[in-house]
Amino acid sequence: MNINQRIRGDHASYISNLYTIDCRLGTNPNGAPPLSDAIKETLLDDLSDYYSFNHIAKLSVLTANYIGTAPDRVFFSNGSMPMLSTIFSKLLGDNMTMLGLGPQFVDAVSEFIQLGGSYNALKYSPGIIPIFCEEIRTTAPSIVYIDNPNNPTGRAYSREELEPVVEACQDSDSILLIDEAYGDYLKKSESMAQFANEFNNVVVTRSFSKGLGLASCRLGYAVVSPNLRDYLSRIIIPFTPSLTSIKIACDVLPNIDSFLEKCKTDCREIKKTMIDELQQCGIEVVPTNDETPIFLAYKRGESLASWFDDRGILVESAHHFALTDSTLTKEYCRLRIVGNTHDLEHFIYRLK
């Protein structure tokens, strides 16, 4: 073929002809759940008002029914991270200490440290739970922090794994804080909100930003054990969620199950394909749950986030998580799955 040989050389341009595939932030790759026509027509009404008790009561009942608890033990904030910050800064006393299982959600740990707390973690491995429980009983931390599913690995703990942790926390008079920001990708029976129903020292935080697909609404909540209910009612800032966010959440919650089932089905298929393709490139994937949209990848000797960036794929370098696990270097990165088949095709093409 008579091909112009000059195009084989360097092409001087600061504009890439590849659009960026975003696998970085932990939003729902499927997008948001559908809104009803009725809510669309009234969503922007009452912008000058705070929410009323009726609004927050409705949200409490719908959320409690969804997660399987009592409405008076559900408390809301503008995102799960502000809820974590409120718990750290107001619920706990002086000389705060935290014990965790690394790696884990680093922003929660950073916030705890900035508020004056001290943090220590054991690196997760199969069989670590008995050692972890002994550490709880020995050190009696103010709070034991576990994210489930785990961020950045997407691994999920079972109830059987965490039940000894609850008991160890009771023995040491520690609060067990389970961060379920990605918990909507679990079966409802797997949510540790059930621990808050059964034990007196449990707080479970959740978000509308991940599985429920409402990141821009900035809405999160906590489910607490009965004896912590009065304490939470005193530290929650009034009118924190917006009325608009409450209306949207109340509209989608009654029909959210079918949306979530599709999200999890798509996640299983896309995640498996992405992992298979990465393994063909010599990239390892840390054990993860099939239905969570994030996972941790590793390639020895490679700055992996830069490797992906060279291919127009945006990921999160895992060295940001080193505070919670010192072994996480730039050879690791966290990926969120893509949300559609055409991005998946481009993802595969760019790997090759």
Side-chain angles (χ1 to χ4, degrees):
M1 293 183 290
N2 183 19
I3 301 295
N4 180 0
Q5 295 301 304
R6 289 185 294 275
I7 66 176
R8 295 180 181 273
D10 291 337
H11 178 64
S13 175
Y14 57 86
I15 301 171
S16 172
N17 61 359
L18 293 178
Y19 74 92
T20 300
I21 299 176
D22 191 348
C23 296
R24 187 179 184 187
L25 293 179
T27 53
N28 190 324
N30 288 68
L35 297 178
S36 68
D37 292 336
I39 195 65
K40 291 177 184 177
E41 294 175 1
T42 62
L43 192 58
L44 298 182
D45 293 348
D46 309 318
L47 287 180
S48 64
D49 293 337
Y50 294 114
Y51 64 75
S52 69
F53 174 77
N54 288 337
H55 290 114
I56 203 71
K58 181 179 180 181
L59 180 60
S60 297
V61 169
L62 290 174
T63 304
N65 290 342
Y66 165 68
I67 197 61
T69 191
D72 63 342
R73 293 197 280 114
V74 181
F75 298 88
F76 297 94
S77 65
N78 57 336
S80 60
M81 187 64 220
M83 178 62 77
L84 291 171
S85 182
T86 298
I87 290 169
F88 299 155
S89 62
K90 294 183 178 180
L91 182 64
L92 301 181
D94 297 332
N95 302 315
M96 302 182 301
T97 56
M98 175 190 283
L99 180 65
L101 275 175
Q104 55 188 158
F105 179 47
V106 71
D107 291 76
V109 174
S110 295
E111 183 75 3
F112 186 80
I113 293 172
Q114 288 186 21
L115 290 167
S118 62
Y119 169 79
N120 186 38
L122 273 63
K123 181 178 174 63
Y124 176 82
S125 62
I128 193 64
I129 295 299
I131 301 171
F132 187 63
C133 290
E134 183 59 31
E135 185 73 9
I136 294 171
R137 292 187 172 96
T138 301
T139 62
S142 308
I143 197 161
V144 173
Y145 176 68
I146 295 176
D147 44 355
N148 186 45
N150 176 263
N151 180 4
T153 67
R155 182 189 64 251
Y157 296 96
S158 67
R159 179 186 174 91
E160 290 71 27
E161 280 184 292
L162 292 187
E163 193 158 319
V165 178
V166 187
E167 295 169 354
C169 288
Q170 286 190 309
D171 293 343
S172 64
D173 201 26
S174 304
I175 292 175
L176 174 59
L177 174 57
I178 302 176
D179 182 354
E180 290 190 349
Y182 286 92
D184 297 294
Y185 288 97
L186 301 173
K187 296 177 182 177
K188 291 182 186 179
S189 60
E190 296 172 331
S191 169
M192 301 308 162
Q194 306 308 316
F195 282 167
N197 295 336
E198 300 170 24
F199 299 92
N200 63 9
N201 61 330
V202 178
V203 177
V204 177
T205 55
R206 282 184 150 243
S207 174
F208 281 76
S209 299
K210 305 294 192 271
L212 299 185
L214 299 175
S216 68
C217 286
R218 308 310 308 127
L219 189 60
Y221 62 99
V223 180
V224 304
S225 296
N227 66 313
L228 295 174
R229 175 183 52 205
D230 291 344
Y231 295 113
L232 264 290
S233 67
R234 296 178 185 181
I235 66 175
I236 296 298
I237 300 173
F239 304 123
T240 301
S242 71
L243 179 54
T244 304
S245 298
I246 293 173
K247 286 181 178 180
I248 292 173
C250 289
D251 187 67
V252 303
L253 277 172
N255 303 302
I256 199 65
D257 287 342
S258 58
F259 172 76
L260 283 172
E261 282 307 310
K262 183 180 187 308
C263 290
K264 288 188 277 190
T265 298
D266 291 349
C267 183
R268 282 193 299 268
E269 296 173 359
I270 292 175
K271 188 172 185 177
K272 183 180 185 306
T273 300
M274 289 178 67
I275 290 175
D276 288 347
E277 294 292 335
L278 289 171
Q279 289 174 337
Q280 291 185 36
C281 297
I283 296 174
E284 302 175 34
V285 173
V286 174
T288 186
N289 184 283
D290 293 341
E291 295 181 344
T292 54
I294 57 172
F295 57 92
L296 188 65
Y298 169 76
K299 188 173 178 65
R300 184 177 181 181
E302 192 79 57
S303 179
L304 198 49
S306 298
W307 187 92
F308 279 104
D309 187 62
D310 290 343
R311 290 155 178 79
I313 301 169
L314 188 63
V315 301
E316 186 71 61
S317 176
H319 81 279
H320 298 304
F321 295 84
L323 177 62
T324 67
D325 182 350
S326 60
T327 66
L328 290 191
T329 65
K330 291 186 178 181
E331 295 174 314
Y332 291 85
C333 72
R334 188 193 69 186
L335 287 85
R336 190 211 67 227
I337 68 167
V338 297
N340 52 67
T341 54
H342 55 265
D343 275 354
L344 180 61
E345 290 295 328
H346 273 272
F347 181 89
I348 295 170
Y349 166 74
R350 295 179 193 193
L351 294 183
K352 295 178 179 179

